[in-house]
Amino acid sequence: MASVVEYKGLKAGYHCGYCDSEAGKVSHGMWAHSMTVWDYQDLIDRGWRRSGKYVYKPVMNQTCCPQYTIRCRSLQFQPSKSHKKVLKKMVKFLAKGEISKGNCEDEPMEPTMEDAVAGDVALINKLDIQCDLKTLQESLESEEKKKGRSAKKAESNELIQSQHTEEKLGTGEPSHSVEVHTVPKPGKGADLSKPPCRKAKEIRKERKRLKLMQQNPAGELEGFQAHPEPLFPPKAKSNQPKSLEDLIFESLPENASHKLEVRVVRSSPPSSQFKATMLESYQVYKRYQMVIHKHPPDKPTVSQFTRFLCSSPLKAENPPNGPDCGYGSFHQQYWLDGKIIAVGVVDILPHCVSSVYLYYDPDYSFLSLGVYSALREIAFTRQLHEKAPQLSYYYMGFYIHSCPKMKYKGHYRPSDLLCPETYVWVPIEQCLSSLENSKYCRFNQDPEAVDEGRSKEPDRLQVFYKKTTMPYGVYKKQQKDPSEEATVLQYASLVGQACSERMLLFRN
């Protein structure tokens, strides 16, 4: 089934949840009746992001707080000192029940989902209906040929097995191990490509033998045998720092004070595990909104929770070369001693895990759950990469350099920012100096570079009109409204040529 979207155009002059400007926000938006994970992957790589079924793209050179798409290269990620402190704090709490004194680490403070699309809430409420998808014709190929799987990992790579509970994908049940390929640690087996290490005594004898040979080159040297090896063995490698997985899955004592489980449950379409825990999950969300975002008790309603954090346009897919849990929208539930204390809302896409939102029980703020969950999601991305090699990035939503509370995302490195004009990824280190001088920046340093994915043949754009799929070249001949062409061409320029040919633009 092809993606079906309804473009809603430009919306300007509404409240910004980042700088609290009453009329500074500007964005384009569309309602996604349904969407393939491949199309959404392409859209977020062009600066789009979803909130529920509403998909929006900030107008970067006009909005008060430019929002740059940011991704972390999870395979190369190394936790910083502050990240390690958060992970060690969690281990101490689980093992001994210790609660660290003082302020918690810089806690990510995303605005509420409603603030992120504040001016569009009424529109979302109005559009929250199901269109009749049964009438759609499957006239388009919805996917490009998938890239070949990368070469298999060398058999010599070890499997590190954690001794404490981790996700059992797609079931909602805890398992007791997680497999992660890592580089063999020094000292584990001989390296046959190098000469064997030798003792200092043997090296001294070698030196003495050479000295005697220089003094008596033709004579016999008793007690010495020739050694073809070099005089000095290769230097031993320094101790490698602990990996992210080592820090997260550190072994706990049998009598540990607490037990933490992370369960991955599909939220759309809702799995049986999701349905069974939805009410408890909502109660955590309600407390989070009331305590952290100071909302009145009647505002965080079940319908609002469902609309923004449970509903998703993404279609579940389970291709043979994908992760065991499949692609689509999920909730990562953090269970502490049998109760939910936090939920990370994520989308699993062909090339990435995309973080949507996190909410948690305010009673556990001392655990820095915003930082902890981000580190767990990076480790989760690395785990999925083992089965789906093309999936290797962790998308953290938007990086807003002009908003101090949102700059923490730049601390997860190595990471890249998306150029808002050419849609190429640029290492964040190369972007920061420009952002210090201007809120809006083009990161691509090549002045001749253009958007390679731009709409070049708008007549090939696919339209869904009167229950029929047709190219825009055919559709426009039936239209007399001059504003219709401007709207469709604007949509095409924003989604790019590839998506415009695959997705169906619903026109009424």
Side-chain angles (χ1 to χ4, degrees):
M1 183 68 74
S3 302
V4 181
V5 298
E6 194 169 349
Y7 181 58
K8 294 301 173 182
L10 179 70
K11 187 169 184 65
Y14 62 100
H15 178 259
C16 174
Y18 299 105
C19 69
D20 211 28
S21 166
E22 286 302 321
K25 200 161 186 182
V26 187
S27 69
H28 297 279
M30 60 185 175
W31 185 256
H33 294 280
S34 67
M35 184 169 286
T36 69
V37 293
W38 297 93
D39 287 337
Y40 186 53
Q41 177 71 68
D42 281 358
L43 286 176
I44 63 173
D45 286 339
R46 292 184 65 83
W48 292 83
R49 181 164 164 82
R50 78 172 184 89
S51 176
K53 291 187 176 182
Y54 186 72
V55 189
Y56 62 100
K57 178 177 171 26
V59 182
M60 300 290 281
N61 59 354
Q62 297 180 34
T63 192
C64 55
C65 296
Q67 299 157 256
Y68 299 92
T69 302
I70 183 172
R71 73 178 187 184
C72 172
R73 283 172 259 152
S74 67
L75 303 186
Q76 292 81 39
F77 172 78
Q78 290 292 336
S80 66
K81 287 184 178 179
S82 62
H83 295 153
K84 291 176 182 178
K85 283 179 63 178
V86 171
L87 295 175
K88 290 176 181 177
K89 178 167 59 176
M90 176 64 81
V91 170
K92 286 182 179 179
F93 173 72
L94 296 176
K96 303 177 182 179
E98 291 185 11
I99 299 177
S100 299
K101 295 180 181 180
N103 296 329
C104 61
E105 298 298 315
D106 292 337
E107 189 69 23
M109 200 60 66
E110 294 272 10
T112 64
M113 296 298 285
E114 309 94 291
D115 287 337
V117 288
D120 303 298
V121 173
L123 175 65
I124 293 173
N125 293 340
K126 182 178 178 181
L127 291 175
D128 197 8
I129 56 175
Q130 296 293 326
C131 72
D132 184 9
L133 298 179
K134 294 181 180 179
T135 59
L136 295 179
Q137 299 178 6
E138 296 183 5
S139 58
L140 297 175
E141 293 292 332
S142 63
E143 297 181 357
E144 297 177 354
K145 292 183 179 180
K146 300 177 178 61
K147 295 180 179 178
R149 298 185 66 180
S150 62
K152 292 183 178 180
K153 303 292 183 183
E155 291 183 1
S156 62
N157 283 0
E158 293 181 327
L159 293 179
I160 294 183
Q161 302 234 349
S162 73
Q163 297 301 314
H164 95 147
T165 309
E166 175 51 7
E167 300 92 343
K168 186 175 182 181
L169 301 182
T171 67
E173 301 173 3
S175 69
H176 298 283
S177 67
V178 59
E179 297 183 344
V180 180
H181 291 288
T182 61
V183 178
K185 292 184 177 180
K188 292 292 183 74
D191 186 344
L192 300 180
S193 66
K194 298 179 180 179
C197 295
R198 298 165 58 205
K199 294 181 179 180
K201 182 179 179 181
E202 291 179 311
I203 297 173
R204 288 196 298 270
K205 289 177 66 177
E206 180 76 13
R207 287 177 179 151
K208 186 175 181 181
R209 184 182 69 85
L210 289 176
K211 186 176 181 180
L212 291 173
M213 285 181 66
Q214 291 173 354
Q215 296 174 353
N216 187 15
E220 293 287 336
L221 299 177
E222 291 187 10
F224 291 99
Q225 292 184 349
H227 289 279
E229 300 88 347
L231 292 179
F232 302 100
K235 292 182 179 180
K237 294 182 180 179
S238 59
N239 290 333
Q240 293 181 346
K242 283 188 176 182
S243 70
L244 176 62
E245 287 76 13
D246 291 336
L247 294 165
I248 291 176
F249 307 123
E250 187 170 326
S251 297
L252 297 174
E254 291 184 4
N255 61 342
S257 299
H258 300 285
K259 180 181 180 182
L260 179 68
E261 303 172 14
V262 179
R263 303 180 185 177
V264 180
V265 297
R266 185 179 287 279
S267 56
S268 180
S271 64
S272 57
Q273 295 90 349
F274 179 82
K275 292 177 181 178
T277 57
M278 181 176 171
L279 184 58
E280 183 176 355
S281 183
Y282 161 69
Q283 293 297 337
V284 176
Y285 170 77
K286 184 175 181 178
R287 279 183 47 75
Y288 175 79
Q289 296 293 77
M290 290 169 57
V291 177
I292 303 299
H293 290 293
K294 313 303 180 186
H295 284 185
D298 59 336
K299 187 175 180 181
T301 63
V302 173
S303 61
Q304 178 231 37
F305 168 70
T306 303
R307 188 164 57 247
F308 285 101
L309 296 176
C310 304
S311 296
S312 169
L314 301 183
K315 296 301 174 186
E317 296 186 32
N318 292 86
N321 62 338
D324 291 337
C325 58
Y327 298 126
S329 297
F330 298 82
H331 280 196
Q332 270 197 322
Q333 301 173 338
Y334 292 75
W335 290 77
L336 181 69
D337 301 332
K339 72 173 185 177
I340 298 176
I341 64 164
V343 176
V345 182
V346 298
D347 293 328
I348 300 177
L349 304 175
H351 299 149
C352 72
V353 170
S354 174
S355 175
V356 178
Y357 200 63
L358 171 85
Y359 56 93
Y360 55 86
D361 186 335
D363 288 347
Y364 296 91
S365 294
F366 64 90
L367 289 174
S368 303
L369 291 170
V371 176
Y372 182 77
S373 66
L375 297 171
R376 290 291 297 240
E377 287 170 6
I378 292 173
F380 181 52
T381 304
R382 284 150 65 138
Q383 183 185 4
L384 296 180
H385 171 77
E386 293 299 321
K387 181 66 186 294
Q390 74 279 9
L391 195 164
S392 60
Y393 296 103
Y394 174 58
Y395 283 45
M396 296 174 278
F398 289 135
Y399 173 81
I400 306 173
H401 192 77
S402 58
C403 179
K405 289 183 179 179
M406 299 302 293
K407 291 171 72 171
Y408 73 90
K409 294 181 181 181
H411 299 157
Y412 296 82
R413 297 192 182 182
S415 57
D416 309 300
L417 297 183
L418 187 68
C419 176
E421 295 182 9
T422 61
Y423 303 112
V424 297
W425 295 98
V426 180
I428 192 170
E429 294 85 354
Q430 299 177 24
C431 306
L432 295 179
S433 60
S434 299
L435 288 171
E436 286 294 330
N437 297 322
S438 174
K439 286 184 178 181
Y440 173 74
C441 299
R442 169 194 167 108
F443 299 136
N444 193 327
Q445 297 300 308
D446 181 0
E448 304 297 324
V450 296
D451 170 17
E452 296 295 339
R454 66 190 182 280
S455 175
K456 302 172 186 175
E457 299 179 78
D459 282 358
R460 294 170 62 89
L461 179 150
Q462 294 297 304
V463 177
F464 185 58
Y465 179 61
K466 291 185 176 180
K467 299 183 180 181
T468 304
T469 299
M470 63 186 75
Y472 175 65
V474 174
Y475 168 78
K476 69 180 180 180
K477 295 176 182 178
Q478 307 176 28
Q479 302 304 308
K480 298 179 180 179
D481 183 356
S483 66
E484 180 71 0
E485 181 175 13
T487 299
V488 174
L489 293 181
Q490 184 181 67
Y491 158 82
S493 69
L494 294 168
V495 303
Q497 185 68 35
C499 278
S500 73
E501 291 189 42
R502 293 197 306 259
M503 301 194 303
L504 302 182
L505 175 62
F506 179 80
R507 304 307 290 168
N508 189 356

